[in-house]
Amino acid sequence: MFKQLSRKHLLLIPVSIPIVSGCLYYSRHLLSNTIKTETITNDYIHLPNELCSRLFDNEFNNYDEMKETSNVNQDESINISIFKDLEALKLSQRCTLIESVHLALKGNVNDNSFRSPLNTNKLLVRIEDKSHLFELDELLIHLLKCTLSVGKQSECARYLTEQTLILFERNGIFSPDYDKLDNYHIKRYQGLYFQAILENLISSKENVIQLLDNGILILLHKLRELFPDKQVQNWISICISALSIYDETHSHLFHSGWIGILSQWLNSHDLRLNLEAAKVLHNIANKEKFHQSLYLLHPINSTTNSSPKIEFDLIFVHGLQGGVFKTWRQSDSMKNSSNYTDCWPKTWIPLDFDNCRILAVNYQTFLSNWNINCGHAHTLKERSDQLAQELRCANVGDRPIIWVTHSMGGLLVKEMLTDIENQGESKHTYKSLVEQTKGIVFFSVPHKGSEMAVWSPNMQRIISPSNQVLELRKDSPMLIDLHQRFLNLAERHNIECLSFGEGKHSTLIKNPVEFLEYKFMLVPEESADPGIGRFIVLPEDHFRICKPSGRDSESYDELKTFVNRLVHKAYNRSEPIYLPNDLLLSTSIL
């Protein structure tokens, strides 16, 4: 076996691919969006079929037979591995963009099946028909400066860009020797840089194209290689996710080798990398787009017609200071359990309902105005307008919807639905969001306000509470009006509700001396009870109420029964989709 080929020749093939593909990526014609992927041939390295056939002995007809043979010796095992890599390399050269994305979505695919990442040893960027060899810090600064010339920046993006330039022109924050510097400030400045880039990416398509033409994908590859720490990797994934919203970026992501990286992230145990990769791959493969604040939890790896038909959308919306990556994790008391999950909607619900699409909303909130870098903390009205737009871009409203909300997230959904209803024809595009809403689950939602937002005038001067906090004031006229509008909406559209109230005090300020700890009910029972549907008080505080201890917990059982009944009702089925035996009696109460 393998007598005609030396190991040296085989090693040259995978080593040369990133070099060749990197050089070709920099060429002008490859960056042009007018050239279709299928017409590009010069960026391929063709592996002749006879090369692979030499790896076979006559006794083996295919790789699977070779793999299953019990008497394979060590040399033959090496040959099998090399053959597998060569087949993957050939596959990577044949695949189009969409084929490569579908391959990544299948999961657990050989990394060599995808275009190799760009070789970034030479940061060569073509600008206005001229090549320029950048140092890393020089390219970092160049990318920020080029966005200032576009004129399509948001106020926040321009502010962050200018502030970051001041810092970076003094210090090389991404120097490979950054670990020798003050770690706190380095992390903070790195985060500021990525935040400035991200704000530019979401400002306008013009900014995205400008950053693409000036080497953003090359820079992100370089930073990914140099800084394997979780924070930098997560920021990179967020930036790639923001790029993927625009179709013009997809061929660039493909040719620069990002599909293979996304495939790795999709199989990562890091929830952030996993969900960002799923978002990018689906944005490339589908017309529907998941914007910055929307994440797909299920189905992720499904790309075939054999998958169960999606019959309804289950959408999770967190509250103040929450997020996809912390609100919906399992109870922290179960962290040592072998079955612990960082995101119970993603892990548990598909086991009970494989016919649903699970989405999660993720948005930034602020307790104090002191925490805001630029702009302002959006009001419920402003946030709901943005959410409605992003939901429709993901085709939410095309099928029945059930919302699962925690704290301020419930108010956000109520504001969005009632505003769409009251605006009439001016928001007819979003009418389906109301018409398709079948039910809402409220986890400790302050329908009549919260004790947390009650501050004395002197305390307000010190804390400077954000608009989002001030809107949660107890007995707020705005919240009372919002709730009345919601009750009218629920009656007109037959929207059902399931609500949970907190039965334990929450600890806001911890103190070594127990009696000095500051505890109280953030959302008292009279505020958490909407006066419609089933209301249950759970023996949990405000922060743990949406974190079930397990699939057999009361809150999760009630949620399953509620969802099952609504989907059964929406499709007028004679038999329910799912109904545990121990919950048969509870349906008579609902």
Side-chain angles (χ1 to χ4, degrees):
M1 268 189 197
F2 193 54
K3 292 179 180 178
Q4 292 98 332
L5 287 175
S6 68
R7 187 171 298 178
K8 174 182 177 183
H9 292 140
L10 286 173
L11 289 176
L12 285 175
I13 296 170
V15 169
S16 62
I17 285 178
I19 297 174
V20 174
S21 62
C23 293
L24 289 165
Y25 181 76
Y26 303 136
S27 64
R28 191 71 173 175
H29 76 275
L30 196 55
L31 291 173
S32 173
N33 291 325
T34 60
I35 300 178
K36 299 294 184 182
T37 301
E38 290 77 4
T39 64
I40 298 173
T41 56
N42 292 334
D43 59 338
Y44 291 87
I45 298 174
H46 294 282
L47 299 177
N49 289 328
E50 57 268 22
L51 178 67
C52 296
S53 66
R54 292 171 188 169
L55 298 176
F56 286 104
D57 193 86
N58 293 333
E59 59 181 305
F60 297 114
N61 294 321
N62 55 56
Y63 168 70
D64 291 330
E65 181 183 348
M66 184 180 285
K67 182 179 178 182
E68 293 171 2
T69 303
S70 58
N71 60 345
V72 176
N73 61 38
Q74 184 176 0
D75 290 338
E76 289 171 338
S77 298
I78 294 173
N79 294 342
I80 293 172
S81 176
I82 293 173
F83 170 75
K84 183 178 179 182
D85 288 342
L86 288 175
E87 282 294 286
L89 287 170
K90 285 178 65 67
L91 178 62
S92 73
Q93 296 169 22
R94 291 196 305 265
C95 281
T96 63
L97 167 62
I98 297 301
E99 290 171 342
S100 185
V101 168
H102 285 174
L103 193 64
L105 286 170
K106 288 181 180 180
N108 298 317
V109 179
N110 190 322
D111 291 343
N112 288 331
S113 301
F114 305 98
R115 295 287 181 90
S116 298
L118 293 177
N119 187 317
T120 60
N121 290 332
K122 304 287 186 182
L123 293 177
L124 182 65
V125 181
R126 295 187 65 86
I127 302 171
E128 298 178 353
D129 297 324
K130 295 181 180 179
S131 298
H132 186 80
L133 189 61
F134 282 98
E135 295 292 334
L136 177 58
D137 285 340
E138 186 184 3
L139 181 56
L140 289 164
I141 293 173
H142 168 73
L143 282 172
L144 287 177
K145 285 183 175 179
C146 78
T147 62
L148 296 173
S149 63
V150 177
K152 293 288 185 178
Q153 285 179 307
S154 66
E155 180 182 345
C156 185
R158 179 167 288 274
Y159 171 80
L160 285 174
T161 300
E162 292 172 346
Q163 293 300 310
T164 307
L165 276 172
I166 293 173
L167 282 174
F168 273 61
E169 287 179 335
R170 296 176 183 171
N171 307 287
I173 304 302
F174 279 95
S175 166
D177 295 328
Y178 80 105
D179 56 333
K180 298 178 182 178
L181 305 175
D182 182 275
N183 189 62
Y184 169 78
H185 287 94
I186 290 300
K187 295 297 182 184
R188 183 180 175 186
Y189 295 155
Q190 287 179 349
L192 180 61
Y193 182 86
F194 279 117
Q195 191 176 354
I197 290 293
L198 182 61
E199 285 294 334
N200 279 287
L201 290 174
I202 64 179
S203 285
S204 66
K205 183 192 293 187
E206 290 81 0
N207 269 27
V208 169
I209 300 302
Q210 180 79 337
L211 286 167
L212 270 180
D213 290 343
N214 284 274
I216 182 67
L217 292 178
I218 301 172
L219 173 68
L220 293 178
H221 264 310
K222 188 66 176 180
L223 296 179
R224 180 186 60 81
E225 295 168 359
L226 287 176
F227 305 101
D229 57 283
K230 182 176 180 179
Q231 180 179 347
V232 172
Q233 296 293 310
N234 285 343
W235 271 116
I236 293 171
S237 70
I238 297 170
C239 291
I240 295 295
S241 175
L243 281 164
S244 71
I245 295 171
Y246 301 101
D247 291 341
E248 291 83 354
T249 69
H250 297 169
S251 63
H252 294 271
L253 292 169
F254 175 55
H255 285 288
S256 56
W258 277 102
I259 307 301
I261 304 301
L262 293 169
S263 176
Q264 295 174 16
W265 287 350
L266 195 64
N267 298 307
S268 170
H269 294 297
D270 187 314
L271 184 62
R272 166 74 76 174
L273 293 179
N274 184 272
L275 295 186
E276 297 291 357
K279 181 190 294 192
V280 176
L281 292 170
H282 279 80
N283 281 348
I284 296 174
N286 301 283
K287 291 183 178 180
E288 62 186 27
K289 304 300 180 191
F290 295 97
H291 283 251
Q292 184 187 10
S293 63
L294 201 60
Y295 287 89
L296 176 66
L297 305 186
H298 174 81
I300 289 180
N301 296 101
S302 175
T303 58
T304 63
N305 294 328
S306 61
S307 304
K309 179 183 178 182
I310 302 300
E311 296 186 325
F312 67 101
D313 283 337
L314 196 57
I315 306 175
F316 289 76
V317 188
H318 68 80
L320 191 65
Q321 292 295 97
V324 174
F325 308 102
K326 54 183 175 180
T327 296
W328 309 114
R329 65 174 183 255
Q330 191 180 359
S331 174
D332 291 343
S333 63
M334 305 299 293
K335 275 195 172 181
N336 294 327
S337 169
S338 59
N339 296 320
Y340 177 81
T341 174
D342 287 326
C343 187
W344 62 262
K346 180 179 184 292
T347 305
W348 297 350
I349 291 179
L351 300 177
D352 298 305
F353 302 98
D354 62 355
N355 60 335
C356 72
R357 182 174 66 158
I358 307 173
L359 306 177
V361 176
N362 196 69
Y363 57 97
Q364 195 171 23
T365 61
F366 301 96
L367 287 176
S368 169
N369 288 320
W370 302 118
N371 301 124
I372 303 174
N373 285 326
C374 61
H376 64 285
H378 294 290
T379 62
L380 279 175
K381 175 68 170 63
E382 292 169 333
R383 182 68 71 187
S384 69
D385 288 344
Q386 178 185 353
L387 179 59
Q389 295 174 20
E390 295 193 5
L391 288 170
R392 283 305 294 145
C393 286
N395 290 340
V396 175
D398 291 356
R399 56 179 71 91
I401 306 168
I402 300 172
W403 308 88
V404 182
T405 68
H406 175 240
S407 192
M408 193 179 77
L411 302 179
L412 177 58
V413 171
K414 287 165 56 178
E415 174 65 37
M416 180 184 66
L417 296 178
T418 55
D419 187 57
I420 292 172
E421 178 83 351
N422 294 340
Q423 291 296 324
E425 288 303 313
S426 64
K427 289 201 172 181
H428 69 278
T429 306
Y430 310 115
K431 278 286 187 182
S432 60
L433 293 175
V434 176
E435 295 166 352
Q436 291 283 26
T437 293
K438 305 304 176 184
I440 307 177
V441 178
F442 297 115
F443 280 99
S444 200
V445 172
H447 300 285
K448 300 175 185 177
S450 169
E451 296 284 353
M452 181 183 68
V454 179
W455 309 100
S456 67
N458 289 333
M459 186 63 75
Q460 286 196 36
R461 293 190 191 98
I462 298 172
I463 297 177
S464 185
S466 66
N467 292 332
Q468 297 165 340
V469 172
L470 293 176
E471 286 181 325
L472 301 180
R473 285 174 293 187
K474 185 179 179 181
D475 297 325
S476 162
M478 185 274 289
L479 291 183
I480 300 300
D481 176 66
L482 170 61
H483 192 57
Q484 187 57 54
R485 286 187 285 127
F486 171 72
L487 291 177
N488 296 336
L489 174 80
E491 183 178 1
R492 286 194 300 270
H493 293 275
N494 194 25
I495 298 173
E496 300 190 37
C497 299
L498 170 65
S499 304
F500 297 99
E502 57 200 63
K504 284 185 177 181
H505 288 73
S506 301
T507 301
L508 289 188
I509 302 176
K510 292 186 178 181
N511 193 291
V513 183
E514 185 175 350
F515 68 86
L516 291 179
E517 287 187 346
Y518 188 36
K519 294 183 177 182
F520 61 91
M521 288 285 188
L522 285 178
V523 182
E525 184 174 330
E526 59 270 20
S527 183
D529 186 354
I532 178 175
R534 181 164 164 76
F535 178 69
I536 304 167
V537 176
L538 296 175
E540 301 289 350
D541 66 22
H542 184 77
F543 304 106
R544 295 185 180 90
I545 194 170
C546 56
K547 304 180 190 299
S549 59
R551 291 180 66 201
D552 57 349
S553 63
E554 180 183 5
S555 60
Y556 187 69
D557 276 347
E558 291 285 353
L559 175 66
K560 285 190 297 184
T561 304
F562 181 73
V563 170
N564 172 75
R565 186 169 59 82
L566 289 183
V567 177
H568 167 52
K569 180 180 178 181
Y571 288 96
N572 296 313
R573 291 198 175 99
S574 56
E575 295 293 335
I577 301 173
Y578 167 84
L579 195 59
N581 293 330
D582 58 341
L583 294 177
L584 285 171
L585 294 177
S586 65
T587 56
S588 62
I589 302 175
L590 293 172

PDB file of all heavy atoms in Angstrom, residues 51 122 143 151 195 213 222 235 267 270 304 372 375 452 500 508 518 527 575:
ATOM      1  N   LEU A  51      -4.727   9.660  -7.484  1.00  0.00           N
ATOM      2  CA  LEU A  51      -3.942   9.880  -6.277  1.00  0.00           C
ATOM      3  C   LEU A  51      -4.558   9.123  -5.105  1.00  0.00           C
ATOM      4  O   LEU A  51      -3.860   8.470  -4.341  1.00  0.00           O
ATOM      5  CB  LEU A  51      -3.870  11.376  -5.956  1.00  0.00           C
ATOM      6  CG  LEU A  51      -3.106  11.765  -4.691  1.00  0.00           C
ATOM      7  CD1 LEU A  51      -1.635  11.459  -4.854  1.00  0.00           C
ATOM      8  CD2 LEU A  51      -3.299  13.238  -4.368  1.00  0.00           C
ATOM      9  N   LYS A 122       0.996  37.139   6.571  1.00  0.00           N
ATOM     10  CA  LYS A 122       1.212  38.421   5.899  1.00  0.00           C
ATOM     11  C   LYS A 122      -0.136  39.118   5.805  1.00  0.00           C
ATOM     12  O   LYS A 122      -1.028  38.661   5.093  1.00  0.00           O
ATOM     13  CB  LYS A 122       1.780  38.221   4.483  1.00  0.00           C
ATOM     14  CG  LYS A 122       3.071  37.414   4.439  1.00  0.00           C
ATOM     15  CD  LYS A 122       4.254  38.216   4.970  1.00  0.00           C
ATOM     16  CE  LYS A 122       5.558  37.456   4.780  1.00  0.00           C
ATOM     17  NZ  LYS A 122       6.713  38.202   5.327  1.00  0.00           N
ATOM     18  N   LEU A 143      -8.836  50.051  10.126  1.00  0.00           N
ATOM     19  CA  LEU A 143     -10.240  49.658   9.984  1.00  0.00           C
ATOM     20  C   LEU A 143     -11.173  50.645  10.684  1.00  0.00           C
ATOM     21  O   LEU A 143     -12.259  50.947  10.194  1.00  0.00           O
ATOM     22  CB  LEU A 143     -10.449  48.248  10.536  1.00  0.00           C
ATOM     23  CG  LEU A 143      -9.998  47.107   9.627  1.00  0.00           C
ATOM     24  CD1 LEU A 143     -10.074  45.778  10.363  1.00  0.00           C
ATOM     25  CD2 LEU A 143     -10.858  47.056   8.370  1.00  0.00           C
ATOM     26  N   GLY A 151     -19.681  58.021   6.334  1.00  0.00           N
ATOM     27  CA  GLY A 151     -20.779  58.953   6.562  1.00  0.00           C
ATOM     28  C   GLY A 151     -22.101  58.292   6.849  1.00  0.00           C
ATOM     29  O   GLY A 151     -23.151  58.938   6.821  1.00  0.00           O
ATOM     30  N   GLN A 195     -16.652  46.361  20.397  1.00  0.00           N
ATOM     31  CA  GLN A 195     -17.933  47.056  20.461  1.00  0.00           C
ATOM     32  C   GLN A 195     -18.017  48.148  19.399  1.00  0.00           C
ATOM     33  O   GLN A 195     -19.062  48.334  18.767  1.00  0.00           O
ATOM     34  CB  GLN A 195     -18.137  47.657  21.849  1.00  0.00           C
ATOM     35  CG  GLN A 195     -19.553  48.168  22.092  1.00  0.00           C
ATOM     36  CD  GLN A 195     -19.752  48.660  23.509  1.00  0.00           C
ATOM     37  OE1 GLN A 195     -18.876  48.528  24.354  1.00  0.00           O
ATOM     38  NE2 GLN A 195     -20.914  49.235  23.771  1.00  0.00           N
ATOM     39  N   ASP A 213     -14.047  45.520   2.388  1.00  0.00           N
ATOM     40  CA  ASP A 213     -13.039  45.908   1.398  1.00  0.00           C
ATOM     41  C   ASP A 213     -11.704  46.260   2.038  1.00  0.00           C
ATOM     42  O   ASP A 213     -10.669  46.252   1.367  1.00  0.00           O
ATOM     43  CB  ASP A 213     -13.543  47.098   0.577  1.00  0.00           C
ATOM     44  CG  ASP A 213     -14.672  46.713  -0.361  1.00  0.00           C
ATOM     45  OD1 ASP A 213     -14.840  45.498  -0.604  1.00  0.00           O
ATOM     46  OD2 ASP A 213     -15.396  47.610  -0.832  1.00  0.00           O
ATOM     47  N   LYS A 222      -6.927  36.680  12.035  1.00  0.00           N
ATOM     48  CA  LYS A 222      -5.672  36.857  12.763  1.00  0.00           C
ATOM     49  C   LYS A 222      -5.915  36.894  14.270  1.00  0.00           C
ATOM     50  O   LYS A 222      -5.195  36.248  15.052  1.00  0.00           O
ATOM     51  CB  LYS A 222      -4.987  38.152  12.318  1.00  0.00           C
ATOM     52  CG  LYS A 222      -3.570  38.330  12.876  1.00  0.00           C
ATOM     53  CD  LYS A 222      -2.621  37.284  12.313  1.00  0.00           C
ATOM     54  CE  LYS A 222      -1.194  37.509  12.775  1.00  0.00           C
ATOM     55  NZ  LYS A 222      -0.276  36.486  12.226  1.00  0.00           N
ATOM     56  N   TRP A 235     -16.421  37.590  20.980  1.00  0.00           N
ATOM     57  CA  TRP A 235     -16.579  38.849  20.261  1.00  0.00           C
ATOM     58  C   TRP A 235     -16.442  38.632  18.755  1.00  0.00           C
ATOM     59  O   TRP A 235     -17.194  39.218  17.947  1.00  0.00           O
ATOM     60  CB  TRP A 235     -15.545  39.865  20.737  1.00  0.00           C
ATOM     61  CG  TRP A 235     -15.969  40.707  21.891  1.00  0.00           C
ATOM     62  CD1 TRP A 235     -15.438  40.743  23.143  1.00  0.00           C
ATOM     63  CD2 TRP A 235     -17.028  41.682  21.895  1.00  0.00           C
ATOM     64  NE1 TRP A 235     -16.097  41.662  23.930  1.00  0.00           N
ATOM     65  CE2 TRP A 235     -17.077  42.254  23.181  1.00  0.00           C
ATOM     66  CE3 TRP A 235     -17.935  42.121  20.928  1.00  0.00           C
ATOM     67  CZ2 TRP A 235     -17.994  43.246  23.534  1.00  0.00           C
ATOM     68  CZ3 TRP A 235     -18.856  43.110  21.278  1.00  0.00           C
ATOM     69  CH2 TRP A 235     -18.877  43.659  22.558  1.00  0.00           C
ATOM     70  N   ASN A 267     -20.217  22.848  16.946  1.00  0.00           N
ATOM     71  CA  ASN A 267     -20.038  21.672  17.796  1.00  0.00           C
ATOM     72  C   ASN A 267     -19.346  22.012  19.117  1.00  0.00           C
ATOM     73  O   ASN A 267     -18.975  21.117  19.865  1.00  0.00           O
ATOM     74  CB  ASN A 267     -19.218  20.610  17.046  1.00  0.00           C
ATOM     75  CG  ASN A 267     -19.918  20.114  15.797  1.00  0.00           C
ATOM     76  OD1 ASN A 267     -21.055  19.690  15.852  1.00  0.00           O
ATOM     77  ND2 ASN A 267     -19.251  20.208  14.659  1.00  0.00           N
ATOM     78  N   ASP A 270     -19.231  25.826  24.091  1.00  0.00           N
ATOM     79  CA  ASP A 270     -19.478  27.226  24.428  1.00  0.00           C
ATOM     80  C   ASP A 270     -20.801  27.640  23.798  1.00  0.00           C
ATOM     81  O   ASP A 270     -20.937  27.685  22.571  1.00  0.00           O
ATOM     82  CB  ASP A 270     -18.332  28.095  23.902  1.00  0.00           C
ATOM     83  CG  ASP A 270     -18.434  29.553  24.355  1.00  0.00           C
ATOM     84  OD1 ASP A 270     -19.540  30.114  24.272  1.00  0.00           O
ATOM     85  OD2 ASP A 270     -17.414  30.124  24.780  1.00  0.00           O
ATOM     86  N   THR A 304     -32.690  18.898   6.078  1.00  0.00           N
ATOM     87  CA  THR A 304     -33.315  17.992   5.113  1.00  0.00           C
ATOM     88  C   THR A 304     -34.830  17.985   5.260  1.00  0.00           C
ATOM     89  O   THR A 304     -35.391  18.403   6.267  1.00  0.00           O
ATOM     90  CB  THR A 304     -32.802  16.548   5.310  1.00  0.00           C
ATOM     91  OG1 THR A 304     -33.193  16.096   6.620  1.00  0.00           O
ATOM     92  CG2 THR A 304     -31.287  16.498   5.212  1.00  0.00           C
ATOM     93  N   ILE A 372     -24.017  53.355  30.597  1.00  0.00           N
ATOM     94  CA  ILE A 372     -24.245  53.455  29.156  1.00  0.00           C
ATOM     95  C   ILE A 372     -23.052  54.135  28.492  1.00  0.00           C
ATOM     96  O   ILE A 372     -22.710  55.263  28.831  1.00  0.00           O
ATOM     97  CB  ILE A 372     -25.540  54.235  28.859  1.00  0.00           C
ATOM     98  CG1 ILE A 372     -26.731  53.562  29.564  1.00  0.00           C
ATOM     99  CG2 ILE A 372     -25.794  54.297  27.365  1.00  0.00           C
ATOM    100  CD1 ILE A 372     -28.015  54.349  29.454  1.00  0.00           C
ATOM    101  N   GLY A 375     -25.328  56.787  23.434  1.00  0.00           N
ATOM    102  CA  GLY A 375     -26.757  56.653  23.187  1.00  0.00           C
ATOM    103  C   GLY A 375     -27.540  56.687  24.483  1.00  0.00           C
ATOM    104  O   GLY A 375     -27.240  57.441  25.400  1.00  0.00           O
ATOM    105  N   MET A 452     -38.354  47.380  43.123  1.00  0.00           N
ATOM    106  CA  MET A 452     -36.973  47.720  42.808  1.00  0.00           C
ATOM    107  C   MET A 452     -36.856  49.134  42.242  1.00  0.00           C
ATOM    108  O   MET A 452     -35.832  49.796  42.400  1.00  0.00           O
ATOM    109  CB  MET A 452     -36.402  46.718  41.807  1.00  0.00           C
ATOM    110  CG  MET A 452     -34.951  46.964  41.425  1.00  0.00           C
ATOM    111  SD  MET A 452     -34.365  45.810  40.167  1.00  0.00           S
ATOM    112  CE  MET A 452     -35.321  46.343  38.751  1.00  0.00           C
ATOM    113  N   PHE A 500     -46.469  32.816  36.600  1.00  0.00           N
ATOM    114  CA  PHE A 500     -45.806  32.330  37.803  1.00  0.00           C
ATOM    115  C   PHE A 500     -45.377  33.529  38.649  1.00  0.00           C
ATOM    116  O   PHE A 500     -44.830  34.504  38.125  1.00  0.00           O
ATOM    117  CB  PHE A 500     -44.568  31.500  37.448  1.00  0.00           C
ATOM    118  CG  PHE A 500     -44.870  30.250  36.667  1.00  0.00           C
ATOM    119  CD1 PHE A 500     -44.724  30.228  35.283  1.00  0.00           C
ATOM    120  CD2 PHE A 500     -45.305  29.108  37.307  1.00  0.00           C
ATOM    121  CE1 PHE A 500     -45.005  29.085  34.549  1.00  0.00           C
ATOM    122  CE2 PHE A 500     -45.587  27.954  36.588  1.00  0.00           C
ATOM    123  CZ  PHE A 500     -45.439  27.939  35.213  1.00  0.00           C
ATOM    124  N   LEU A 508     -30.480  41.367  47.028  1.00  0.00           N
ATOM    125  CA  LEU A 508     -29.860  42.319  46.113  1.00  0.00           C
ATOM    126  C   LEU A 508     -28.472  42.734  46.575  1.00  0.00           C
ATOM    127  O   LEU A 508     -27.572  42.941  45.771  1.00  0.00           O
ATOM    128  CB  LEU A 508     -30.741  43.561  45.969  1.00  0.00           C
ATOM    129  CG  LEU A 508     -32.054  43.377  45.194  1.00  0.00           C
ATOM    130  CD1 LEU A 508     -32.702  44.721  44.970  1.00  0.00           C
ATOM    131  CD2 LEU A 508     -31.825  42.696  43.870  1.00  0.00           C
ATOM    132  N   TYR A 518     -29.759  42.780  52.181  1.00  0.00           N
ATOM    133  CA  TYR A 518     -30.905  43.542  51.712  1.00  0.00           C
ATOM    134  C   TYR A 518     -31.787  42.613  50.876  1.00  0.00           C
ATOM    135  O   TYR A 518     -31.447  42.277  49.746  1.00  0.00           O
ATOM    136  CB  TYR A 518     -30.422  44.736  50.894  1.00  0.00           C
ATOM    137  CG  TYR A 518     -31.505  45.715  50.513  1.00  0.00           C
ATOM    138  CD1 TYR A 518     -32.560  46.005  51.379  1.00  0.00           C
ATOM    139  CD2 TYR A 518     -31.457  46.361  49.282  1.00  0.00           C
ATOM    140  CE1 TYR A 518     -33.536  46.918  51.025  1.00  0.00           C
ATOM    141  CE2 TYR A 518     -32.431  47.275  48.918  1.00  0.00           C
ATOM    142  CZ  TYR A 518     -33.460  47.549  49.798  1.00  0.00           C
ATOM    143  OH  TYR A 518     -34.432  48.441  49.439  1.00  0.00           O
ATOM    144  N   SER A 527     -48.713  42.146  41.833  1.00  0.00           N
ATOM    145  CA  SER A 527     -48.219  42.684  40.569  1.00  0.00           C
ATOM    146  C   SER A 527     -47.951  41.580  39.556  1.00  0.00           C
ATOM    147  O   SER A 527     -48.097  41.785  38.351  1.00  0.00           O
ATOM    148  CB  SER A 527     -46.940  43.489  40.808  1.00  0.00           C
ATOM    149  OG  SER A 527     -46.472  44.071  39.614  1.00  0.00           O
ATOM    150  N   GLU A 575     -56.652  14.619  19.033  1.00  0.00           N
ATOM    151  CA  GLU A 575     -55.794  14.063  20.077  1.00  0.00           C
ATOM    152  C   GLU A 575     -54.651  15.029  20.339  1.00  0.00           C
ATOM    153  O   GLU A 575     -54.103  15.624  19.414  1.00  0.00           O
ATOM    154  CB  GLU A 575     -55.218  12.701  19.645  1.00  0.00           C
ATOM    155  CG  GLU A 575     -56.270  11.624  19.477  1.00  0.00           C
ATOM    156  CD  GLU A 575     -56.908  11.238  20.802  1.00  0.00           C
ATOM    157  OE1 GLU A 575     -56.266  11.426  21.853  1.00  0.00           O
ATOM    158  OE2 GLU A 575     -58.053  10.746  20.776  1.00  0.00           O
TER     159      GLU A 575
END
